[in-house]
Amino acid sequence: MVRLQQTKEDMMIYKAQFWLSITFFSFYFSWGIFMPYWNAWLISEKDMTVEAASSIIAAGLFVRSASTLFAYPILSAKYPAGTLLKWFTVITALMALLFIPASGYTALFVVMILFNFIYPIIMPMGDSMGALLMKTDRIHYGKSRSWGSIGYTVSVLFIGVATSIFSDAAILYVFIASTLFMIAAAFYHTPSALREPRDLHRVPFSQLFRSKRFVTALIICVFIQGAHAAYYNYGVLYLQYLGVSSVWIGVILNIAVAAEILFFVVADRFLSHTNVPVMFLCASIAAVVRWTLMFLFPSVGVYMFAQLFHALTFGLAHYAFIRLLYEEFDSSEIPAAQGIYSSLGMGLSTAVLTFGAGYLYEMSPELSFLGMGFVALPALFICFCLLKEK
């Protein structure tokens, strides 16, 4: 009887792990199209200038930061995460269709704002569900999150081939198809922990900001994650500037994702006894080195080598923050804390720096990466102070 019960529990854990993996895979498959290629699509298919396209992207990031900071915590306090995921994937697919008829700066600006109010929320929602399932179903977050990186890899390779055959017009239509995949994953299965409200209430931000660890980690992430602004928004344009073909752009971008996948696969095993400040210190050092290298040596070879640092500048910093949420907060507080992180650490900081990076890119593409190196420096000093205090 005990053995039968144990087998049943193991099956529930496996099913929750598998579901979270395909949820991450489907979202990051779409993200691998939207994040690196949307700027290029606006310029080539909607006849936007670099400055105009950058302002549209930045406006979307500002809306993303607001929706994840306010809308997501409010909705997560009223509805189960599984229900919200189904709603958001369907709305995302419908909103994506609006990009087909949209033409001109104003129309694209409005559609981007509407779209970014919903679509990016799925990212912190996935991480919150992962943190919750770590507590309730004993799943391995890193193992499932690595499938998100795999999804990103597959989409970047696929879109690289598709654009070389069909031009950049393929970007939008492949993205719309990817949103249908997200819907299928959301409706496939919902773990029991995500079907029922679990002590759901709106957590006041003041309650979260009482945690000094949370506030310090958030500031560090603002600098480290925000410093990716030039890479995320101008990486494809920069490789085109270096004379790289569409297919090889997809391959080169995937070096970063491959490094990220390897990191998430081994993270739970090798970092279980590593404290959060040490992880953040390593991530901040890697950020300064990565962006400085890309400034000093503007070549395809150095760009490819610098891609390996993504495992640390994004992967390690992100993993450290998720670990901190797991250690610092209970299940009811995690969605609100995750929303703040996604809003400020990955949304607002990137939005502000996208404007700055765009200005530097117009002056010289290499300067935008030097600027990101300076942005990451404060995180390095904060981490040193944390370790010294400890």
Side-chain angles (χ1 to χ4, degrees), residues 104-327:
Y105 183 85
T106 302
L108 287 166
F109 188 89
V110 172
V111 172
M112 182 65 81
I113 287 176
L114 294 173
F115 182 74
N116 274 274
F117 189 80
I118 296 296
Y119 172 58
I121 291 181
I122 300 174
M123 181 187 290
M125 183 182 299
D127 288 326
S128 294
M129 292 187 298
L132 177 59
L133 291 174
M134 285 171 67
K135 289 178 175 291
T136 60
D137 291 53
R138 306 195 307 278
I139 61 101
H140 296 285
Y141 171 82
K143 187 182 294 184
S144 287
R145 181 59 181 78
S146 67
W147 279 99
S149 301
I150 292 171
Y152 192 99
T153 299
V154 173
S155 72
V156 169
L157 282 176
F158 184 82
I159 205 66
V161 174
T163 53
S164 67
I165 298 174
F166 302 106
S167 79
D168 286 353
I171 293 172
L172 175 61
Y173 297 105
V174 175
F175 180 79
I176 291 172
S178 73
T179 63
L180 301 179
F181 184 21
M182 289 167 53
I183 294 173
F187 281 85
Y188 160 70
H189 169 71
T190 306
S192 58
L194 306 178
R195 288 198 298 264
E196 302 282 338
R198 294 176 54 86
D199 298 324
L200 295 175
H201 60 278
R202 186 178 179 185
V203 177
F205 291 156
S206 59
Q207 177 176 321
L208 302 175
F209 283 108
R210 290 193 193 110
S211 169
K212 183 180 178 181
R213 292 185 71 211
F214 173 70
V215 173
T216 305
L218 184 62
I219 293 172
I220 292 171
C221 284
V222 164
F223 292 117
I224 296 177
Q225 300 291 12
H228 289 82
Y231 170 71
Y232 287 150
N233 292 290
Y234 306 104
V236 171
L237 294 176
Y238 183 66
L239 288 172
Q240 291 173 346
Y241 162 78
L242 293 177
V244 181
S245 67
S246 296
V247 174
W248 281 105
I249 286 175
V251 173
I252 292 172
L253 290 178
N254 265 326
I255 295 173
V257 189
E260 182 185 315
I261 291 170
L262 180 60
F263 168 79
F264 281 121
V265 167
V266 303
D268 291 322
R269 186 186 312 167
F270 290 102
L271 295 176
S272 59
H273 300 295
T274 304
N275 63 54
V276 170
V278 170
M279 288 191 276
F280 275 134
L281 175 64
C282 293
S284 59
I285 292 173
V288 174
V289 172
R290 180 184 185 182
W291 309 126
T292 304
L293 279 176
M294 291 177 65
F295 164 72
L296 292 175
F297 307 101
S299 67
V300 177
V302 172
Y303 191 104
M304 293 171 67
F305 173 71
Q307 290 286 78
L308 298 173
F309 284 78
H310 198 71
L312 302 176
T313 60
F314 172 77
L316 182 58
H318 183 71
Y319 183 88
F321 198 88
I322 297 299
R323 168 79 71 79
L324 183 136
L325 294 187
Y326 174 75
E327 294 174 351

Side-chain angles (χ1 to χ4, degrees), residues 65-89:
S65 66
S67 65
T68 51
L69 184 62
F70 299 108
Y72 173 54
I74 291 172
L75 291 171
S76 65
K78 293 183 177 180
Y79 305 101
T83 301
L84 290 177
L85 182 65
K86 293 172 184 176
W87 290 355
F88 289 162
T89 53

Side-chain angles (χ1 to χ4, degrees), residues 35-45 48-55 57 168 171 229-246 248-250 252-253 294 300 303 354 357-362 364-366 368-369:
M35 196 64 189
Y37 283 96
W38 216 251
N39 211 335
W41 176 76
L42 287 170
I43 293 169
S44 64
E45 296 302 311
M48 295 281 106
T49 64
V50 172
E51 184 180 357
S54 299
S55 66
I57 294 292
D168 286 353
I171 293 172
Y231 170 71
Y232 287 150
N233 292 290
Y234 306 104
V236 171
L237 294 176
Y238 183 66
L239 288 172
Q240 291 173 346
Y241 162 78
L242 293 177
V244 181
S245 67
S246 296
W248 281 105
I249 286 175
I252 292 172
L253 290 178
M294 291 177 65
V300 177
Y303 191 104
T354 294
Y359 175 76
L360 292 173
Y361 191 91
E362 289 282 3
S364 171
E366 295 84 5
S368 62
F369 298 111

Side-chain angles (χ1 to χ4, degrees), residues 338-357:
Q338 180 65 46
I340 293 173
Y341 164 60
S342 183
S343 173
L344 303 182
M346 302 182 71
L348 185 61
S349 60
T350 306
V352 172
L353 291 170
T354 294
F355 281 113

